[in-house]
Structure formats: C-alpha cells, structure tokens
Amino acid sequence: MITLTIGRPRLTLGLDEHQRVDHDTHVRLHGELPEITADDLVVLAELGALRGCGGAGFPFARKLRSVLRSAFRRRTPARVVVNAAEGEPGSAKDRMLLQRLPHLVLDGAELAARALGASEVVVGVADRRVPGADEDPAQESLRAAVAERRSPLVFRMVRTPHRFVSGQAGALVQAVNGGAPIPPGEPRRASESGVAGLPTLLSNAETFAHAALLALGGAYRYSSVGTSEQPGTILLTVGGSVVVEAPAGTPLVQVLHMCDVSPGQAVLVGGYHGSWLAPDAVARASLSREGMAEVGGALGAGVVLPLSGATCPLGEVERVLRYLAGESAGQCGPCVRGLPALAESFAALVGGGGEPESVLTAAEVGEGKGACAHPDGSAVFARSALAVFAEDVSTHALTGGCGRPVAGELPLTDEPADRRARLHLDWSRCDGHGLCADLLPDLVLLDRNGYPRDRDVLVPDALVGDAELAVRMCPELALRLRARG
C-alpha cells in the first residue's frame, strides 16, 4: 500500500521513517493524550468543523451531543464504535490507518470513550483474512496497538464480511450485536439505540483520527491548513491502492499528478455511490465538500478512480452496477428488483440496444424507499455515467460497441468463497446459437449479433448446476466451466 502526502503530513506523520508507527513513536510525534471533557470535545469538533469521513459527512459535534443527550435522558452508559469495515472496493484509507497508524485512530476513540464515560471501544473491521492465515496485517496491527497502549479501556474487534453494505453504520451495529451484518430494515439512530441498545457514538476510522489531531494539537493548529469551511487535511484513495493525504481544497489535478495518473476519459469521485467528473470538471475540481459540489460531485468516501482511455466506460459501469446489485442485503424491493433492473437497462446500452430513458426509469424505481441508501446511491452512479459518457452511449447505439475491451479497471471486492466457478467462452468455436443465453438468462448476455458479449462470466454457487448443463448442451462445445483462480 503506497501512501503519499501533499504538504506537511498530519495524519500520515511518521510514515516517511516508519512502516508502522508504534505507541512510543506515536507519543514522541504527537504527545500524550490529554484529558478533556465531553463539552471540550464538542467544542473542538465544532472549531475544526469536523464531519464524518465515511461518506455521509455528518457533523461529529452533533453526533456527540446526540449521544450525550440520549445517555443522560435514559440514565444509561454510552458506547463507542469505530467503523473501519470499509465496504467500498476502491477505498483503502481506513485500512491504511489501522495497519500503519493505529494509535491515531485509537486515541480519538479513547478520547470519546473517556468523555462519554464508556468502558469499551468496538472496532469493526472487514474480514479480509487469506485462507490459512489467522489475521491480515491491519488486524494484527490493531491487536498489537491495543497491547502497546496498556489502556484501562476494553478494546474489542468485530469482523464483518468484506461486502459493500457491511460497511454501512446500521449493518455494523447489527454485526456487533450478533445479528446479520446488513442494514436494518428500518432507519435507526445509533445515538439513540446502538450497541446493546445503548446510545452509541459511531464514526469511521479517519474521523476518529481527526478528532485525535484536534485534541493533541489544538483547533488553531488543526485549522492552519485547508479551507475556511473545511479545515485540516483529508485522506483519499486514488486508483484503489494509493492513499494520499492532502489539505482540503487541493486541486484534484494536483493529486492525480502526484500519483502519476491522467484523468483519462473521466474520474469517479466518492466511490460507487458517487459521481463521474468529465475532464473539464476534473480540471476545475478542488477536494473539499464545497469544491466538489461546484462541479456536481461529492467527496463521499474519499475514493478517486480515474478511467483510462483503454477501456470501454459503459462496460465498466455495467460491471459495477451488477456488483452493486449482487451486494444487496436482499430485504427491500428497490434492492431486490430495482438494482438488477438498473444493471440490465445499462447492459442494453452496452450492447447497442436500449435507451438512456430506460436507465433513468429504472433508477427512479423505489427512489427514497429503500431500507438503506444503497438503491439511491447506485442510481446516482448510473445517472452520472449517462451524463458523462453520453457520446459513448451514442457510439454504442450506432455501431454496437466502441471497439474497446472492458479491462476491469474499476476495482471490485473479491468474490466470496462460494462463488468460485467461471463460465469461459472459446470465441474460435462459438457460432452464435444463443442456447447458452436461453439456459442462463441471468448470466449470458448476447450482443446485437447474437453472440455472448462476455468471454468470462462469474457463476454464483446457486447457478453452477445450470452452467454445467449449458456446457453439456452447447452445440459447438465452446463453453468451459473453470474454477476461479
């Protein structure tokens, strides 16, 4: 994992000399954690205009106040939860913090726990363990950090599946409470009823790291960089693997230049619930909430994904829409029916048929009625793609494609272990009978000439039997079922 810094490092202080900052080094760099009251922490968060860095951007001071009020009214203790589950496939910043700078995150969580009178801090992490290994490096670093701190607080790690919706706040609370790691069927405020039904302060790892910087260095020092509306620095994940710390307000093109990447056809900002920016918008965009809003975007989860000119943009968008449909919690109509319909309507555009209006209609189904923000966020992604890649839509409609392969440049979460089969097509044998599409309508899509559009298709475990039948029935023996490598 590569970490870069524009300007003087704040969150990433020490990484120029250390692969991982242990507790002694952390204290040498930042100082001892101060004792502050809940009111002081609220004031610091307000002075630093601190908002959640996981996507929603909710003011941290308001969360604190809400938890304090709930705990006081109910005469109950509070809980603190660090969300480092990071369901976004293109995001690595929270993982980087746990792996290389764990004490900055734990400092912020401990400050909040002390201020709220909480005896326990829960850290939610995505389960990315390699088969045969006990833990991944981020989890090992977190366990080592807890031992190094010798804190009277209890720090507990909870693993969740590495899925898109498992990183959502409500899904993490359910996982901590022993339930399914999916968003609850109805909106719930963790500040009212979170872990064990108690008032819970829940925010992502970067947010707690910023809270620690505010307490350790003071609001004046914290606000000496950034913008007046958004002081401090931000963490971005560029291209799925490079984490960049930059002052808020930094031009997007400066970040891309530092990472030695071109804006290409467009840049996706904010993750898979975010928006595409055309090259002219990229040239004007600055990395703050206000700066991104001016060009029609949003920082979201801090994901920046440039798309090169070597890949078909419509095919890339379709890949992600199918992934998002597959990541549904499966508990409401807008997800169960709406997201597959959205993916299919976009697939029709890729094949040269269909109409943009069909995509827009599918995006409107159940809008604002989902059990979580997943359907609406996916619709934002699809609408944005229609606007930015309008010329490509026209080209595909006229010629049936753009002549470029789908290179898979947009990162997707590794498939779960029960999805290991792939259906492979031998183009030299295929004669366009279309029988495979009849047998596997949910997997095999035909182009306007009647040939399968994808050479390699992931087969869910439930459809392996149907895929085996398609292999046996193919008149030209053009199909093979392979184990995923």
Side-chain angles (χ1 to χ4, degrees):
M1 186 185 305
I2 301 171
T3 304
L4 305 174
T5 304
I6 294 177
R8 298 186 65 179
R10 297 288 193 82
L11 294 165
T12 56
L13 184 63
L15 294 188
D16 57 338
E17 298 180 354
H18 304 277
Q19 183 63 27
R20 176 185 179 273
V21 176
D22 62 21
H23 191 251
D24 289 341
T25 305
H26 170 78
V27 172
R28 178 173 56 81
L29 293 171
H30 294 283
E32 294 281 356
L33 195 62
E35 292 282 351
I36 62 174
T37 66
D39 289 340
D40 290 338
L41 190 55
V42 169
V43 170
L44 278 172
E46 288 177 331
L47 290 173
L50 179 57
R51 288 175 175 260
C53 305
F58 196 82
F60 191 68
R62 285 174 58 186
K63 277 190 178 182
L64 275 167
R65 281 204 185 96
S66 182
V67 174
L68 284 166
R69 282 196 299 266
S70 297
F72 178 78
R73 185 179 66 251
R74 294 173 54 185
R75 299 288 194 271
T76 59
R79 289 289 184 267
V80 173
V81 175
V82 179
N83 186 353
E86 236 173 0
E88 279 277 357
S91 184
K93 60 189 179 73
D94 287 347
R95 179 176 175 81
M96 183 279 292
L97 286 171
L98 288 191
Q99 189 168 327
R100 305 191 65 187
L101 299 156
H103 292 287
L104 206 55
V105 177
L106 297 184
D107 267 6
E110 184 160 342
L111 276 170
R114 290 181 190 175
L116 294 169
S119 59
E120 179 187 65
V121 170
V122 177
V123 183
V125 297
D127 192 352
R128 303 188 188 191
R129 288 174 294 176
V130 176
D134 292 331
E135 290 184 324
D136 71 5
Q139 294 174 22
E140 291 177 358
S141 174
L142 179 59
R143 289 196 185 278
V146 170
E148 291 165 2
R149 295 176 73 83
R150 297 182 295 275
S151 171
L153 289 176
V154 174
F155 288 90
R156 178 161 61 102
M157 182 171 64
V158 173
R159 295 188 182 99
T160 68
H162 190 203
R163 293 193 57 202
F164 194 88
V165 296
S166 297
Q168 195 259 0
L172 179 56
V173 169
Q174 293 214 138
V176 175
N177 286 336
I182 60 175
E186 56 186 26
R188 299 175 191 167
R189 291 184 178 178
S191 60
E192 294 283 342
S193 179
V195 175
L198 298 172
T200 299
L201 177 68
L202 187 152
S203 205
N204 84 314
E206 184 188 349
T207 310
F208 280 108
H210 280 291
L213 283 185
L214 273 164
L216 290 163
Y220 178 79
R221 179 181 174 188
Y222 182 86
S223 304
S224 63
V225 299
T227 69
S228 57
E229 295 85 7
Q230 188 172 346
T233 63
I234 56 176
L235 289 179
L236 306 163
T237 310
V238 181
S241 60
V242 180
V243 179
V244 179
E245 181 183 16
T250 299
L252 175 56
V253 290
Q254 185 177 351
V255 173
L256 297 177
H257 178 72
M258 168 168 272
C259 296
D260 196 26
V261 294
S262 163
Q265 302 180 72
V267 177
L268 179 65
V269 180
Y272 294 152
H273 284 176
S275 300
W276 288 98
L277 299 182
D280 63 323
V282 172
R284 296 180 284 113
S286 61
L287 291 162
S288 69
R289 289 183 291 272
E290 293 74 17
M292 291 306 302
E294 289 176 1
V295 295
L299 275 178
V303 175
V304 177
L305 294 171
L307 196 65
S308 80
T311 189
C312 170
L314 302 188
E316 293 283 353
V317 171
E318 185 208 344
R319 282 179 63 243
V320 174
L321 287 174
R322 290 194 179 280
Y323 161 76
L324 293 174
E327 290 296 287
S328 160
Q331 60 183 348
C332 69
C335 260
V336 173
R337 292 185 293 275
L339 292 186
L342 182 59
E344 291 298 332
S345 65
F346 212 95
L349 294 182
V350 178
E355 297 290 337
E357 290 74 17
S358 299
V359 176
L360 295 174
T361 299
E364 292 172 358
V365 175
E367 188 170 14
K369 299 177 182 178
C372 69
H374 190 45
D376 288 356
S378 302
V380 168
F381 172 77
R383 289 194 195 100
S384 172
L386 280 183
V388 172
F389 301 121
E391 289 187 11
D392 293 274
V393 172
S394 299
T395 299
H396 277 248
L398 288 172
T399 65
C402 62
R404 288 171 289 182
V406 181
E409 290 186 2
L410 298 180
L412 299 181
T413 305
D414 289 339
E415 294 293 335
D418 63 344
R419 293 184 180 180
R420 296 191 178 276
R422 282 188 176 276
L423 188 67
H424 181 77
L425 171 68
D426 184 347
W427 288 115
S428 66
R429 289 177 174 269
C430 180
D431 204 26
H433 290 279
L435 179 60
C436 53
D438 293 334
L439 295 172
L440 295 166
D442 294 329
L443 294 182
V444 179
L445 301 175
L446 303 181
D447 62 21
R448 64 194 312 168
N449 297 313
Y451 288 86
R453 192 165 49 75
D454 299 312
R455 184 179 184 181
D456 203 56
V457 181
L458 189 68
V459 181
D461 197 49
L463 294 181
V464 168
D466 293 339
E468 290 173 343
L469 177 62
V471 170
R472 293 195 299 269
M473 296 291 290
C474 178
E476 305 300 326
L477 303 178
L479 296 177
R480 296 288 185 274
L481 197 61
R482 296 177 173 175
R484 184 177 181 225

